[in-house]
Amino acid sequence: EAAVTQSPRNKVAVTGGKVTLSCNQTNNHNNMYWYRQDTGHGLRLIHYSYVADSTEKGDIPDGYKASRPSQENFSLILELASLSQTAVYFCASSDRDWGYEQYFGPGTRLTVL
Amino acid sequence: GDSVTQTEGQVALSEEDFLTIHCNYSASGYPTLFWYVQYPGEGPQLLFRASRDKEKGSSRGFEATYDKGTTSFHLRKASVQESDSAVYYCAPYTNKVVFGTGTRLQVLP
């Protein structure tokens, strides 16, 4: 069974603070993705990675950094959190390329105050 | 770039009603089309996919037919159940997957 876990599941941060969201997958998948979910916008791609030590910008990368230190782990970093970054964040993985099924984690609800 | 439109933002039905959620896409080339479902408190999961014109994807009583002529992949189910209450995402893929805005389905007992 494919498994993607995220931590923390809930996070409250202060404006201007640094936030790190973590994702781990045990699927042995090459690709990993970070999405944010907002009402009215659906799922929007922030960053993705095809291989360890390399990340790519997605559709809405501004204000976010990503890190892929190993095949299993993929982090999303908000250096200076802002109110507009309040959302639910999902990590996903897929085998080889985009055309394969993406397996999503349970999400992290981030509230920036 | 690729895009997808889901016409219905929210749908409320009673059990045993017929469901249609409309999905129209705009994509270069010949996309693979996905439907994902997201149950409350969970991440999205694949419902099914289709890769060729006129191909029907189906799972759990849901189905959709790839229509290249009308660039559509409408989701249908003949008789919905309360357990089908979820958010449904249409997502075309050419060089990357693009998710629609989602349709929230509420099925009342």
Side-chain angles (χ1 to χ4, degrees), chain B residues 6-23 35 62 74-77 79-89 101-109:
Chain B
Q6 291 181 235
T7 310
E8 299 86 359
Q10 295 191 77
V11 175
L13 297 172
S14 299
E15 280 196 322
E16 301 184 9
D17 279 352
F18 188 92
L19 169 70
T20 300
I21 297 176
H22 294 93
C23 170
W35 274 104
F62 291 88
H74 304 318
L75 182 68
R76 295 186 168 90
K77 187 174 185 182
S79 176
V80 295
Q81 302 301 310
E82 190 176 1
S83 59
D84 293 327
S85 297
V87 178
Y88 293 82
Y89 289 99
T101 52
T103 298
R104 182 175 298 277
L105 171 64
Q106 182 180 21
V107 181
L108 305 173

Side-chain angles (χ1 to χ4, degrees), chain A residues 9 35 37 40-43 45 48 50 58-59 90 97-102 104-106, chain B residues 32 34 36 38 41-46 49 87 89 93 95-102:
Chain A
R9 294 293 312 279
Y35 294 91
Q37 183 178 53
H41 290 282
L43 290 164
L45 182 66
Y48 58 101
Y50 295 126
D59 298 322
F90 288 97
D97 71 28
W98 295 84
Y100 289 79
E101 175 181 359
Q102 291 190 35
F104 284 81
Chain B
T32 295
F34 297 89
Y36 279 81
Q38 183 181 14
E42 299 181 10
Q45 57 186 273
L46 181 67
R49 85 191 81 189
V87 178
Y89 289 99
Y93 157 68
N95 57 357
K96 67 180 182 186
V97 174
V98 177
F99 286 89
T101 52

Side-chain angles (χ1 to χ4, degrees), chain A residues 4-93:
Chain A
V4 179
T5 57
Q6 295 182 232
S7 63
R9 294 293 312 279
N10 291 280
K11 174 74 176 177
V12 178
V14 296
T15 304
K18 182 177 181 178
V19 177
T20 299
L21 307 182
S22 299
C23 176
N24 177 272
Q25 55 104 355
T26 59
N27 307 325
N28 200 32
H29 286 167
N30 290 334
N31 290 15
M32 296 188 75
Y33 316 86
W34 275 107
Y35 294 91
R36 67 175 280 174
Q37 183 178 53
D38 304 89
T39 303
H41 290 282
L43 290 164
R44 292 183 289 175
L45 182 66
I46 306 171
H47 285 287
Y48 58 101
S49 170
Y50 295 126
V51 67
D53 295 322
S54 179
T55 64
E56 309 288 338
K57 292 181 179 179
D59 298 322
I60 54 164
D62 293 347
Y64 303 93
K65 291 183 179 179
S67 173
R68 181 100 182 262
S70 65
Q71 186 181 30
E72 298 79 19
N73 295 294
F74 192 36
S75 297
L76 186 68
I77 303 148
L78 291 66
E79 294 279 3
L80 295 169
S82 67
L83 295 174
S84 64
Q85 293 176 312
T86 293
V88 180
Y89 292 84
F90 288 97
C91 176
S93 73

